[in-house]
Amino acid sequence: MLRLFNLSKDKEEDILKIIKNREEENPEVISNVLNILKDIRKDGDKALVKYTKDFDKVLLNSNSIKVSKEEIEEAFNIVEESFIKAIKSAIKNIEFYHSKQVRNGYSIVKEGEVFMGQLVLPLERIGVYVPGGTASYPSSVVMNVIPAKVAGVKEIVMVTPPSANGGINPYIAVAASLAGVSEIYKVGGAQAIGALAYGTESIKRVDKIVGPGNIYVAMAKKLVFGTVDIDMVAGPSEILIVADENANSKFVAADLMSQAEHDKLAASILLTTSEEKYNEIIKELEVQIEEMERKDIIKESFSNYGMALICKDIKECIRISNIIAPEHLELMVENSMEYLGEVKNAGSIFLGYYTPEPLGDYYAGPNHVLPTNGTARFSSPLSVDSFIKKSSYLYYSKGELIKAAEDIMLLASKEGLTAHGNSVKVRFCND
Amino acid sequence: MLRLFNLSKDKEEDILKIIKNREEENPEVISNVLNILKDIRKDGDKALVKYTKDFDKVLLNSNSIKVSKEEIEEAFNIVEESFIKAIKSAIKNIEFYHSKQVRNGYSIVKEGEVFMGQLVLPLERIGVYVPGGTASYPSSVVMNVIPAKVAGVKEIVMVTPPSANGGINPYIAVAASLAGVSEIYKVGGAQAIGALAYGTESIKRVDKIVGPGNIYVAMAKKLVFGTVDIDMVAGPSEILIVADENANSKFVAADLMSQAEHDKLAASILLTTSEEKYNEIIKELEVQIEEMERKDIIKESFSNYGMALICKDIKECIRISNIIAPEHLELMVENSMEYLGEVKNAGSIFLGYYTPEPLGDYYAGPNHVLPTNGTARFSSPLSVDSFIKKSSYLYYSKGELIKAAEDIMLLASKEGLTAHGNSVKVRFCND
């Protein structure tokens, strides 16, 4: 269960240590992944087929790597109407939220003949990794694809491991089709990341790879970074809930469990203003936890990384939250919006008593790909910005260059870079 | 000298191979840097002082690590008025260009009681690395500091190795003071990166580290990435010049050398439309190169990575440039602005005959910290965006949550995440 700390008795740094160092290391992973990437680079499709046979127990050939139109039509026949309705509503909300992030370039015309500015261009081709396995994650498809689509990326490629019969999970296929994916390939693991980064006969290389995966996928993304861009290497998840006296303990307990069920490394943190409230929430947790399908994961996550802290007021709760920089922050307090200005570091902020984290995870509009493990101090949710690149441009006329010439040559000479100065000098002294 | 290729005779991929794989590897660097970082983390200032003694041959103490007010005043007395005037003009131009990059958050109020949006916040504290050694680079100071300042970062910390007498280079000190640095420390190398990432008694840890450095600094930045953010690990530089029949060969030759003098790994690439033009430029190069102070570096860079290519027209030149994705692209062609829309991948674009790359390097406004080594395909110049972070926020009323409840619970159940569904269910079924 959540360990209780008290700021008046416990040292702040001891408390914060608990959620640090949640990474698990595995030295074998890196060498395995390096070998897989090398093979993909050397043998292309042949290596893709081999690893899919080894790891997924599915025999692909060059014709069946790519998901066909017929397979997608079939998926639409399989899934329930209610699912299509729900995912369409989610897509609409997510598109609307992300459409506000679209940016234009700018240009500056200065007196005289000086013209400069910044271009904003979409990436040309991106890859989205979607995990396979027993569960399917259509929400992951839409959260990764829609910002790219809104940014104007023309070629959005998805890779996902084949199901046991060599097909594709129908919920994933439907979500991909509705979100606007242009190509889908039935490959997964480090081999799929290699194919996206280097290209094979069937899969053209991309400019950026996004999406979550297991430790092999995460390691492969780290290793191809530089050849292509990547979103982030996601660490374990966390939720931090600030609950005041009026917060319903049932709601608080339910929300604490909603992140803990993801992963035994997830951290659930409760900040509240009285020990009575804490006791009430713990009592609720003890009842609700037994009804959860994934109660074993929840219990392990709570006992390793769960924590509760009694603070003197809401402002102190937020001060502590800013140090932790949680992925998800729920402010279950009266007048929650009044505290928004105090929040300095958090991936996504959920305000009030009726905004549980899963509302944002699936549906409302903001992205669920968020900075984890304290990185909200310096990084941001996945957004349209993640799928664009910028270039600066500059034009000076001869007359304007001559006005600046002396200063530039002086600065170049102070840095000992005389060929830099020469490129200005040659335009006036030698012609 | 620049090797000549012809698209009608040579294979495109063979041509492009030449500028790839310019990185030099050194397996000792990683273990040395790991040790330094470990020591800084363990011993703080004590280790900083020790490594500064070992590597810079300067004995610091806890009082002399930080540059004092008096040292900065003294620097202003040493440097020439002309330098102060030049750097002030550069700062004014760079501030103006970057001020156009400032962004606001947004908020969305949807019908019913739904409220959501995105906050844009400056990072709280950043570190700028400025190399020491024989040359000083005040331009690097202003290019890294100003975007942070414009973004609203309150604490801008600079680190730079001490000069031989234990002081600070006066040009660096003056540039830092004018650009708006708030603290300067006389430490350099991997030990300075460690201090910025983990903090010591004298130097409080930062959220992000930017700025160029030698291979030890670059490796240290790679290794602390995740604990803090970093800008990029800069690879070797390149310039690609598209020159038409009317381009002055003297100018083209001078500009090709301006990047080559940086580094023997720099790549200088000339794309032009006739062999006569190529011959004329080579003749110019042979004359000008002998007058350059850094001619040995220029010659080595040209002979290893220099290349020229005859294309059938300007559009074909730009198509090839888009594949190379150069850091610097000069379009020395008539009506250069008409081609801007064709450019897909380039860090910074210089238009016309009187916009040499050093104008942008030092002075005009755009940033000189640019994606190198082909990464302009997916990354961008340093900008105000590099010093902000975003958070999403979301508020739903009870009435609005109930409308969405069924869809969210359905999507959660399809992903097998029942505790997610429970957090919605508990708000309506159990209270």
Side-chain angles (χ1 to χ4, degrees):
Chain A
M1 213 30 87
L2 308 181
R3 258 172 296 181
L4 180 64
F5 294 94
N6 200 311
L7 277 176
S8 56
K9 286 177 251 157
D10 301 296
K11 268 174 69 184
E12 221 169 89
E13 57 182 86
D14 291 337
I15 300 170
L16 299 173
K17 253 183 216 156
I18 290 182
I19 57 161
K20 296 287 168 203
N21 306 317
R22 279 178 290 155
E23 306 283 356
E24 282 177 337
E25 285 198 359
N26 187 336
E28 266 175 43
V29 173
I30 184 160
S31 67
N32 288 343
V33 170
L34 275 171
N35 281 333
I36 295 170
L37 293 176
K38 207 179 67 189
D39 287 351
I40 295 288
R41 217 169 164 174
K42 190 161 65 77
D43 296 331
D45 278 355
K46 211 182 110 195
L48 256 189
V49 169
K50 175 186 167 295
Y51 284 113
T52 306
K53 186 165 154 264
D54 290 356
F55 296 139
D56 302 304
K57 315 294 175 205
V58 168
L59 196 64
L60 295 174
N61 61 52
S62 318
N63 293 323
S64 61
I65 289 180
K66 188 171 178 177
V67 172
S68 68
K69 248 189 189 170
E70 292 71 32
E71 284 177 286
I72 292 172
E73 279 164 19
E74 206 190 311
F76 274 90
N77 291 328
I78 294 169
V79 306
E80 305 84 349
E81 271 306 313
S82 58
F83 173 79
I84 295 179
K85 180 192 146 281
I87 199 90
K88 276 187 174 172
S89 297
I91 287 173
K92 204 181 129 204
N93 289 339
I94 297 162
E95 264 177 359
F96 183 71
Y97 177 85
H98 287 82
S99 69
K100 307 290 174 191
Q101 295 170 345
V102 173
R103 307 169 67 180
N104 294 317
Y106 61 85
S107 57
I108 297 169
V109 184
K110 286 176 99 170
E111 42 179 335
E113 290 167 296
V114 171
F115 184 64
M116 66 180 103
Q118 184 176 264
L119 303 176
V120 175
L121 294 169
L123 302 185
E124 291 182 58
R125 182 174 169 87
I126 66 113
V128 178
Y129 188 90
V130 176
T134 45
S136 79
Y137 296 101
S139 68
S140 184
V141 175
V142 300
M143 288 295 184
N144 282 282
V145 169
I146 290 172
K149 189 86 190 163
V150 173
V153 178
K154 291 234 175 61
E155 300 175 21
I156 301 174
V157 183
M158 192 177 98
V159 293
T160 190
S163 48
N165 65 359
I168 180 172
N169 179 299
Y171 295 96
I172 297 289
V174 166
S177 171
L178 293 173
V181 168
S182 35
E183 301 155 40
I184 310 176
Y185 298 93
K186 284 177 283 185
V187 288
Q191 61 274 22
I193 300 298
L196 291 173
Y198 306 119
T200 70
E201 297 85 339
S202 301
I203 305 180
K204 219 180 95 195
R205 74 158 190 186
V206 301
D207 298 319
K208 179 164 188 165
I209 302 172
V210 299
N214 62 22
I215 48 170
Y216 291 90
V217 170
M219 180 54 74
K221 281 170 67 183
K222 265 193 203 182
L223 292 170
V224 301
F225 178 48
T227 301
V228 294
D229 195 17
I230 62 169
D231 49 350
M232 59 180 85
V233 177
S237 175
E238 62 269 349
I239 188 168
L240 187 153
I241 301 181
V242 176
D244 69 6
E245 302 294 315
N246 296 316
N248 185 317
S249 297
K250 282 180 182 161
F251 303 179
V252 177
D255 294 4
L256 285 166
M257 294 191 301
S258 74
Q259 279 310 295
E261 79 168 334
H262 270 302
D263 183 351
K264 60 186 164 54
L265 296 175
S268 305
I269 303 153
L270 168 65
L271 305 185
T272 188
T273 43
S274 80
E275 202 155 334
E276 295 70 49
K277 196 75 206 171
Y278 163 77
N279 288 328
E280 213 180 283
I281 292 165
I282 293 294
K283 230 177 256 169
E284 258 308 319
L285 270 178
E286 280 162 354
V287 176
Q288 289 187 38
I289 207 166
E290 297 303 328
E291 295 160 21
M292 294 298 111
E293 275 176 35
R294 297 164 73 92
K295 64 181 170 189
D296 294 341
I297 296 174
I298 298 174
K299 284 178 181 174
E300 195 172 343
S301 146
F302 277 180
S303 73
N304 288 328
Y305 306 111
M307 125 184 160
L309 189 62
I310 313 294
C311 301
K312 70 171 191 288
D313 56 21
I314 302 301
K315 284 209 170 184
E316 188 173 64
C317 293
I318 295 179
R319 184 179 69 76
I320 298 293
S321 172
N322 283 335
I323 298 170
I324 293 171
E327 182 189 15
H328 306 96
L329 168 61
E330 287 193 4
L331 294 180
M332 293 182 66
V333 300
E334 289 285 353
N335 303 316
S336 56
M337 257 174 265
E338 287 179 14
Y339 295 97
L340 195 53
E342 309 273 323
V343 178
K344 295 274 175 273
N345 303 316
S348 192
I349 307 155
F350 301 82
L351 299 162
Y353 302 125
Y354 285 90
T355 314
E357 185 275 338
L359 172 64
D361 239 15
Y362 287 116
Y363 199 77
N367 210 287
H368 80 196
V369 182
L370 298 168
T372 56
N373 215 7
T375 58
R377 236 173 77 222
F378 49 75
S379 57
S380 303
L382 193 74
S383 72
V384 170
D385 291 345
S386 312
F387 298 100
I388 57 121
K389 64 195 171 194
K390 293 161 280 183
S391 300
S392 57
Y393 60 91
L394 179 63
Y395 169 84
Y396 263 53
S397 67
K398 185 176 180 180
E400 290 297 319
L401 182 64
I402 209 163
K403 289 187 211 162
E406 206 180 310
D407 281 349
I408 298 169
M409 289 189 285
L410 177 82
L411 292 170
S413 79
K414 289 292 166 208
E415 299 195 351
L417 295 172
T418 50
H420 278 62
N422 179 60
S423 78
V424 175
K425 195 174 128 209
V426 78
R427 279 167 164 85
F428 300 110
C429 304
N430 294 346
D431 67 348
Chain B
M1 212 30 88
L2 307 182
R3 259 171 295 180
L4 180 64
F5 294 93
N6 199 311
L7 276 178
S8 56
K9 288 177 249 158
D10 301 296
K11 268 175 67 185
E12 218 169 90
E13 57 180 86
D14 291 337
I15 301 170
L16 299 174
K17 253 183 215 155
I18 290 182
I19 56 162
K20 295 286 169 202
N21 306 317
R22 279 178 290 155
E23 306 284 357
E24 282 178 337
E25 286 200 359
N26 187 335
E28 265 174 44
V29 172
I30 184 161
S31 67
N32 288 344
V33 171
L34 275 171
N35 281 333
I36 295 170
L37 293 177
K38 206 179 67 189
D39 287 350
I40 295 289
R41 217 171 163 172
K42 191 162 64 80
D43 297 330
D45 278 355
K46 211 181 109 195
L48 256 187
V49 169
K50 174 186 168 294
Y51 283 114
T52 305
K53 185 165 157 263
D54 291 356
F55 296 139
D56 302 306
K57 315 293 173 209
V58 168
L59 196 63
L60 296 174
N61 60 49
S62 317
N63 293 324
S64 61
I65 289 181
K66 189 171 179 177
V67 172
S68 68
K69 247 189 188 172
E70 291 72 31
E71 284 177 286
I72 292 173
E73 279 166 18
E74 205 190 313
F76 273 91
N77 292 330
I78 295 169
V79 305
E80 305 85 347
E81 270 304 313
S82 58
F83 173 79
I84 294 179
K85 180 191 146 284
I87 199 89
K88 275 188 177 171
S89 296
I91 287 173
K92 202 179 132 207
N93 289 339
I94 298 162
E95 264 177 357
F96 183 71
Y97 177 85
H98 286 83
S99 69
K100 306 290 174 192
Q101 296 170 345
V102 173
R103 307 169 69 180
N104 296 316
Y106 61 85
S107 57
I108 297 168
V109 183
K110 287 178 97 171
E111 43 178 335
E113 290 167 296
V114 171
F115 184 64
M116 66 180 104
Q118 184 176 262
L119 304 175
V120 175
L121 294 169
L123 301 186
E124 291 181 58
R125 181 174 171 88
I126 67 113
V128 179
Y129 189 91
V130 176
T134 45
S136 80
Y137 296 102
S139 69
S140 185
V141 176
V142 299
M143 288 294 183
N144 282 283
V145 170
I146 290 173
K149 188 88 189 161
V150 173
V153 177
K154 293 235 174 61
E155 300 175 21
I156 301 175
V157 183
M158 194 176 97
V159 293
T160 190
S163 48
N165 65 359
I168 180 170
N169 179 299
Y171 296 96
I172 297 290
V174 165
S177 170
L178 293 173
V181 167
S182 34
E183 302 156 39
I184 310 176
Y185 298 92
K186 285 178 282 185
V187 287
Q191 62 273 22
I193 301 298
L196 291 173
Y198 305 120
T200 70
E201 297 85 338
S202 301
I203 306 179
K204 217 178 97 192
R205 74 156 191 189
V206 301
D207 298 319
K208 180 165 187 164
I209 301 172
V210 299
N214 63 20
I215 47 168
Y216 290 91
V217 170
M219 180 55 74
K221 280 170 68 183
K222 264 193 206 185
L223 293 171
V224 300
F225 179 47
T227 300
V228 294
D229 195 17
I230 61 170
D231 48 351
M232 56 181 86
V233 176
S237 176
E238 63 269 350
I239 189 168
L240 188 152
I241 302 182
V242 177
D244 69 7
E245 302 294 315
N246 295 317
N248 186 317
S249 296
K250 283 181 183 159
F251 304 179
V252 178
D255 294 6
L256 284 166
M257 294 191 302
S258 74
Q259 279 310 295
E261 79 168 334
H262 270 302
D263 182 353
K264 60 185 165 52
L265 296 174
S268 304
I269 303 154
L270 168 66
L271 305 185
T272 186
T273 45
S274 81
E275 202 154 333
E276 294 71 51
K277 196 76 208 170
Y278 163 79
N279 288 328
E280 214 181 281
I281 292 165
I282 293 294
K283 229 175 259 169
E284 259 307 319
L285 270 178
E286 280 162 353
V287 177
Q288 289 188 38
I289 207 166
E290 297 303 329
E291 296 160 20
M292 294 298 112
E293 275 176 36
R294 297 163 74 92
K295 65 180 169 190
D296 294 341
I297 295 174
I298 298 175
K299 284 178 181 174
E300 194 174 343
S301 146
F302 277 179
S303 74
N304 288 329
Y305 306 111
M307 125 185 159
L309 189 61
I310 313 293
C311 301
K312 69 171 193 289
D313 56 22
I314 302 301
K315 283 210 169 183
E316 188 173 65
C317 292
I318 296 177
R319 184 179 68 77
I320 298 292
S321 172
N322 283 336
I323 297 170
I324 293 171
E327 182 188 13
H328 305 97
L329 168 62
E330 287 193 3
L331 293 181
M332 292 183 67
V333 299
E334 289 284 355
N335 302 316
S336 56
M337 256 174 265
E338 287 178 16
Y339 294 97
L340 195 53
E342 309 274 322
V343 179
K344 295 273 176 273
N345 303 316
S348 194
I349 306 156
F350 301 82
L351 298 162
Y353 302 125
Y354 286 89
T355 315
E357 185 275 339
L359 172 63
D361 240 15
Y362 287 116
Y363 200 75
N367 210 287
H368 80 195
V369 182
L370 298 168
T372 57
N373 214 7
T375 57
R377 235 173 77 225
F378 50 74
S379 57
S380 303
L382 194 73
S383 72
V384 170
D385 290 346
S386 312
F387 298 99
I388 56 122
K389 65 195 171 194
K390 295 161 279 183
S391 301
S392 57
Y393 60 90
L394 180 62
Y395 169 84
Y396 264 53
S397 68
K398 184 175 179 181
E400 289 298 318
L401 181 64
I402 209 164
K403 288 188 212 163
E406 206 181 310
D407 281 349
I408 297 168
M409 288 189 285
L410 177 81
L411 292 169
S413 79
K414 289 293 165 205
E415 299 195 350
L417 295 173
T418 50
H420 279 62
N422 179 61
S423 78
V424 174
K425 195 175 129 208
V426 78
R427 280 168 163 85
F428 301 110
C429 304
N430 293 348
D431 68 347

